[in-house]
Amino acid sequence: MAGSTNVPSTQNLQSTGQPTNYGALGTLVTVFFFWGFIAAGNSIFIPFCKHYFQLDQFQSQLIDFAFYTAYYIGALGLFAYGAFGGRDLVAKWGYKKSIVYGLLFSALGAVAMIVAVNADTFGGMLFGLFVVALGFSLQQTAAQPFAISLGDPATGTSRVNLGGGINSFGTSIGPLLVAVALFGSTAAVTDEQIQALSLSKVIVLYSFVGALFIAAAALFYFSKKVPSGISTEKTEKANKALYSLLIITGLLIIMFVPVFSSYRTDLTNATDAVKHDMETYRMKWLLGALAVVVIGLIVSNMTARKNPDGWGAMRYPQLVLGMLGIFTYVGVEVAIGSNLGELLRHPAFGSHAASEATPYIMMYWGGLMIGRWTGAISAFNLSNNTKNILRFIVPLVAFAVIIIIGSLAKYNMAPLYYYVICVVVQIIAFYICQDKPARTLFIFSALGLIAMIIGVMTTGTFAIYAFLSGGLFCSIMWPAIFNLSIAGLGKYTTQGSAFLIMMILGGGIIPPIQGKIADYVQSTSDIPGYGIHQSYWIAVVCFLYLALFAFLVKGILRKQGIDYDTPMDAPIEASPEATLERKS
């Protein structure tokens, strides 16, 4: 799930007793479902396209690249409009119209997908997904602050978590519905049968998706319960931050051009040494793209702290480190799920056909649902004892829901029964975290780190469970990273939120890097699946950074007088903005 450019500051939230507009909230959460449904469906779509278009692992990850890069481009465009125009476009249109326009734009993307399928072109399909995700970027920019505005500000985060729970339900059943649309039934099929499938199935799928987008837009537009959400608040200018982001964008383009252009070279009759050299060449440029983001943001923050004029929110170290946190979190969450299908088809992991991998992918994304349902408990006015009871029951119920859905679809869910042990580990972690964002992020990152190390050091069911548990441990990270990143930003909170949503870009960069690492390592080994297995070391690095961020941000916020142990659904105490200026 992603953030927004208009999330109000959490540092001064006071309970107003404002009743929740449940009618509008119920309408709003439908778009949360769409994001999860489409994004998780990519995990099934990727192996299908890989077989149909005869792609390598990196090329198959271009689906994620196109999808998540669109979030960055969309958010950057909205920020640039506000920086030059002095007015937030979403605030000008209002939350309601922004979501309607976003849904209609996504519907255009579905049409572009259908046209590309008829032309039998993978590049056109990537463009269609890019347009769909551009619409999502606009929707997400409006939807989450909208959720916060639909009731008492003090409980706004809980409503976002509730939307996240619905989002995760979409991620859970997305792979199942997409598999049915592509494979025609829930019965397992072989790789040979997949190669024989017609792209006409994709036309049916995206005709249905486009119709859903239009129906949801109509529901929003004609609903009298949904307020307009227009705001007259002016945007805080940060031209230097904008120029920095534009430079980073330009450098990213420079880094990716050699990678894409190298695929024009015919290596059909090339020796293994030549192929290995080409893989090395491509991987260097991809790692260069990662370095551009990391170094670019750190240098921007260092410069901004020396002379904050024109840098806006980028002067705050917790925000810049949090931007890298969102980049890393989204990247690792998407990379684990998107590469599972390829991992599971190899002998060391069960030799599963693409459709046989569906229940595993479904359980991975279901792990996010399990965690977010648990995190949404605080959205309801319940006693502490009741909440503690539900923190034990809800995850088990959510796990059972995933098993039941898979079983009703006639998948063999028996290999996943013992995965409940991983769910119990997550339950224990929730009790230890006590809704405290820094502690939550550190513990869940540490668990993710341990799980990924176990996964890359073992094979078989043990390793599969370890990789699947990445979904459980990623589930609650978004609100924790987001709250820690914007704490203490004051009037720059809106701007900081915009920067955070841009970092969904991680979902477009980290999965292709993992795919290229898989291709590179495989080019040096004769063991089937060795490359994709070892590529999960990138997930180890991602969780390591997230744990480091959780540790560092404690000290950063403490120096600013901010109580980093405040529960995620409570107001965050912060010292005046001048405190940061003085300590910077």
Side-chain angles (χ1 to χ4, degrees):
M1 129 180 219
S4 78
T5 61
N6 293 281
V7 177
S9 172
T10 58
Q11 64 185 34
N12 296 314
L13 293 184
Q14 299 293 332
S15 178
T16 62
Q18 176 185 347
T20 299
N21 185 340
Y22 286 108
L25 184 61
T27 306
L28 178 61
V29 296
T30 58
V31 298
F32 281 82
F33 175 85
F34 284 143
W35 304 333
F37 166 70
I38 299 298
N42 286 348
S43 296
I44 297 297
F45 196 48
I46 285 171
F48 170 75
C49 286
K50 182 176 182 180
H51 280 285
Y52 188 89
F53 291 104
Q54 297 298 302
L55 309 174
D56 64 22
Q57 190 61 17
F58 166 78
Q59 290 171 312
S60 72
Q61 296 303 301
L62 291 179
I63 291 174
D64 280 334
F65 175 80
F67 193 81
Y68 289 98
T69 300
Y71 279 92
Y72 174 77
I73 298 299
L76 180 61
L78 289 172
F79 173 61
Y81 178 91
F84 289 118
R87 179 88 182 273
D88 191 324
L89 186 61
V90 171
K92 179 180 178 179
W93 284 342
Y95 296 142
K96 181 176 181 177
K97 284 187 177 179
S98 295
I99 292 173
V100 170
Y101 294 157
L103 285 165
L104 293 177
F105 204 81
S106 293
L108 287 176
V111 173
M113 278 288 292
I114 294 171
V115 172
V117 169
N118 278 320
D120 200 13
T121 166
F122 181 61
M125 294 168 70
L126 293 178
F127 174 77
L129 281 173
F130 181 84
V131 176
V132 169
L134 275 180
F136 280 11
S137 177
L138 178 56
Q139 294 166 46
Q140 291 212 28
T141 298
Q144 292 187 81
F146 201 11
I148 292 173
S149 71
L150 293 176
D152 191 333
T155 59
T157 302
S158 297
R159 288 189 291 279
V160 174
N161 278 336
L162 181 61
I166 302 300
N167 171 271
S168 295
F169 180 65
T171 64
S172 299
I173 69 172
L176 175 64
L177 296 180
V178 173
V180 171
L182 293 180
F183 302 138
S185 71
T186 59
V189 296
T190 64
D191 288 344
E192 289 75 17
Q193 289 173 309
I194 291 172
Q195 293 180 23
L197 286 175
S198 169
L199 281 179
S200 61
K201 297 290 183 67
V202 181
I203 294 178
V204 174
L205 171 64
Y206 274 90
S207 296
F208 177 70
V209 167
L212 284 179
F213 287 147
I214 294 172
L219 178 65
F220 250 88
Y221 183 78
F222 292 109
S223 175
K224 295 181 179 180
K225 296 179 180 180
V226 179
S228 64
I230 296 175
S231 173
T232 58
E233 181 181 355
K234 288 200 170 184
T235 303
E236 292 291 338
K237 291 190 176 182
N239 290 337
K240 290 181 181 178
L242 175 60
Y243 297 147
S244 174
L245 289 168
L246 290 176
I247 291 172
I248 290 174
T249 303
L251 290 174
L252 284 174
I253 293 172
I254 292 173
M255 292 295 170
F256 275 103
V257 166
V259 177
F260 296 142
S261 61
S262 68
Y263 278 95
R264 297 176 183 175
T265 304
D266 186 5
L267 298 177
T268 304
N269 298 318
T271 64
D272 290 341
V274 171
K275 291 179 180 178
H276 177 72
D277 289 343
M278 182 59 75
E279 295 297 348
T280 303
Y281 171 81
R282 292 165 178 165
M283 191 168 68
K284 286 179 179 178
W285 284 104
L286 284 170
L287 293 176
L290 180 62
V292 164
V293 175
V294 175
I295 296 174
L297 290 177
I298 292 176
V299 170
S300 295
N301 176 248
M302 292 174 63
T303 306
R305 294 181 72 183
K306 292 179 181 178
N307 182 12
D309 292 341
W311 284 98
M314 205 169 278
R315 55 195 284 223
Y316 293 86
Q318 67 265 35
L319 174 69
V320 173
L321 293 177
M323 290 170 70
L324 292 175
I326 292 293
F327 179 91
T328 303
Y329 150 69
V330 176
V332 71
E333 176 187 290
V334 175
I336 294 172
S338 295
N339 286 283
L340 270 177
E342 174 65 16
L343 180 76
L344 294 170
R345 78 180 188 87
H346 292 287
F349 299 93
S351 298
H352 298 284
S355 64
E356 290 177 328
T358 299
Y360 294 93
I361 296 171
M362 183 179 170
M363 183 59 74
Y364 172 74
W365 293 109
L368 277 83
M369 181 185 80
I370 292 170
R372 289 171 182 170
W373 279 19
T374 308
I377 291 172
S378 297
F380 304 96
N381 187 21
L382 304 170
S383 68
N384 288 334
N385 287 337
T386 302
K387 288 180 181 179
N388 285 331
I389 293 172
L390 288 177
R391 285 191 181 104
F392 179 78
I393 295 175
V394 168
L396 297 177
V397 170
F399 172 74
V401 167
I402 298 167
I403 294 294
I404 291 171
I405 291 175
S407 299
L408 290 175
K410 299 181 181 179
Y411 282 106
N412 178 19
M413 303 299 289
L416 290 167
Y417 288 166
Y418 290 105
Y419 184 66
V420 71
I421 296 173
C422 298
V423 177
V424 171
V425 172
Q426 188 200 49
I427 291 173
I428 295 172
F430 267 112
Y431 282 115
I432 297 173
C433 293
Q434 298 178 352
D435 277 344
K436 297 177 179 179
R439 182 186 297 182
T440 296
L441 183 59
F442 182 79
I443 290 176
F444 275 66
S445 298
L447 289 172
L449 175 63
I450 294 170
M452 294 304 107
I453 292 175
I454 291 173
V456 295
M457 298 299 290
T458 61
T459 57
T461 301
F462 203 61
I464 293 173
Y465 276 19
F467 289 134
L468 292 181
S469 68
L472 291 171
F473 303 134
C474 282
S475 63
I476 202 66
M477 285 186 177
W478 176 272
I481 298 172
F482 206 93
N483 277 13
L484 292 166
S485 300
I486 65 173
L489 267 59
K491 65 180 181 180
Y492 295 107
T493 300
T494 293
Q495 197 176 90
S497 302
F499 294 155
L500 288 172
I501 195 173
M502 289 178 198
M503 291 300 103
I504 295 176
L505 173 69
I509 291 182
I510 292 179
I513 288 177
Q514 181 174 353
K516 183 47 59 186
I517 290 174
D519 292 334
Y520 173 80
V521 175
Q522 191 61 54
S523 70
T524 65
S525 174
D526 294 328
I527 303 173
Y530 183 74
I532 188 64
H533 185 200
Q534 294 304 303
S535 73
Y536 274 87
W537 277 108
I538 196 169
V540 173
V541 175
C542 289
F543 280 115
L544 180 62
Y545 173 75
L546 290 167
L548 179 63
F549 168 69
F551 176 77
L552 292 176
V553 79
K554 285 185 179 183
I556 292 171
L557 295 181
R558 186 185 295 118
K559 290 179 181 179
Q560 298 173 28
I562 299 173
D563 181 8
Y564 55 81
D565 275 336
T566 300
M568 284 186 283
D569 295 311
I572 297 178
E573 300 288 334
S575 61
E577 187 178 299
T579 302
L580 177 58
E581 295 179 12
R582 186 169 58 252
K583 294 185 180 295
S584 298

